[in-house]
Amino acid sequence: MKLHGSFTSPFVRHCRIALLQQGMDFEFIETDYAQSAEGSPAMRVPYLQDGDLVLHDSSSILKHIRQRNEQGFCQSIEEFDLYLLVTTALDSTINLFLLEKSGVDIATNSYTQRQAQRIQQCLQALNNKAEQGLEWNDAGIRLACFIDWALYRQRLDLSGFPALLRWLEDARQSREFELTTPPAA
Ligand SMILES: N[C@@H](CCC(=O)N[C@@H](CS)C(=O)NCC(=O)O)C(=O)O
């Protein structure tokens, strides 16, 4: 099994955590922008090769990893919705990061303003969920990968969302989460 990705991507990190949790052998192939444009029609990482099977998104990769180990992926509708809400916030945060890096003035464009507002509203909803209690399942793992990446890239001020910061502290108790910490910037 070959997982293509980068050591910094939160989507890739989630897949690596799942592979480590399940004790699966895999080869990690560090893949840059040029290589992902060649290797996947989505032009993104992660992508995975498992024999003849090629998967192009972290969600299908996670479902495959869990299913190969006879475990469910986002089994309850509540967990699935939370996983998707985190992913929405993560997608918007990464889009703004990449747009800004490529020279777009994200402060003045009306659509990027909407993305920024979406992130704040998602953070509030996720903080409320975290106050009620979370589990170390795929929704909880994705949330921890998102928060840690946002802090690593200095993209978000999370001081107004204490339950999210507490969740990150809890996540750091996980061996697989610690083993997949992004390299120092
Ligand atoms: N929906 C995808 C998102 C993956 C994604 O956004 N990957 C980023 C790295 S964190 C990427 O490769 N971006 C390159 C680009 O957008 O051109 C998944 O869950 O795998």
Side-chain angles (χ1 to χ4, degrees):
M1 188 179 292
K2 291 180 183 171
L3 178 68
H4 294 256
S6 70
F7 286 108
T8 52
S9 163
F11 298 101
V12 175
R13 183 181 191 180
H14 191 167
C15 295
R16 290 167 64 216
I17 290 171
L19 286 162
L20 290 170
Q21 282 180 321
Q22 308 295 165
M24 293 172 87
D25 272 340
F26 68 101
E27 186 184 346
F28 184 74
I29 300 176
E30 219 177 334
T31 303
D32 64 18
Y33 270 24
Q35 290 161 329
S36 66
E38 295 259 313
S40 167
M43 301 171 71
R44 298 200 284 210
V45 292
Y47 55 97
L48 179 107
Q49 288 169 272
D50 187 7
D52 290 340
L53 182 69
V54 184
L55 300 173
H56 305 99
D57 193 282
S58 64
S59 297
S60 53
I61 295 170
L62 289 165
K63 187 172 163 72
H64 179 61
I65 294 167
R66 299 302 186 204
Q67 281 182 346
R68 273 203 40 183
N69 292 278
E70 287 162 22
Q71 301 210 348
F73 166 68
C74 288
Q75 274 179 309
S76 73
I77 192 67
E78 290 85 2
E79 183 192 350
F80 187 42
D81 192 63
L82 181 59
Y83 172 89
L84 293 173
L85 193 63
V86 178
T87 302
T88 294
L90 177 53
D91 278 334
S92 289
T93 311
I94 290 187
N95 277 341
L96 291 186
F97 172 63
L98 295 177
L99 285 168
E100 199 169 38
K101 251 175 76 170
S102 69
V104 173
D105 180 0
I106 60 168
T108 54
N109 176 285
S110 65
Y111 188 64
T112 51
Q113 285 170 354
R114 184 176 169 84
Q115 300 247 43
Q117 197 183 355
R118 171 178 295 121
I119 294 163
Q120 291 305 312
Q121 298 220 22
C122 286
L123 286 174
Q124 190 57 63
L126 295 170
N127 192 69
N128 295 346
K129 290 273 184 197
E131 273 172 359
Q132 290 158 23
L134 294 169
E135 287 176 46
W136 192 239
N137 51 24
D138 281 307
I141 295 170
R142 176 137 301 203
L143 179 57
C145 291
F146 166 44
I147 300 165
D148 211 19
W149 178 84
L151 294 177
Y152 171 74
R153 292 290 191 200
Q154 301 181 322
R155 293 305 301 179
L156 299 175
D157 173 9
L158 295 177
S159 54
F161 305 102
L164 295 181
L165 294 171
R166 281 198 299 275
W167 181 244
L168 180 59
E169 285 312 307
D170 289 351
R172 291 197 168 127
Q173 305 306 310
S174 150
R175 185 180 152 272
E176 292 83 12
F177 191 73
E178 279 308 272
L179 282 173
T180 56
T181 300

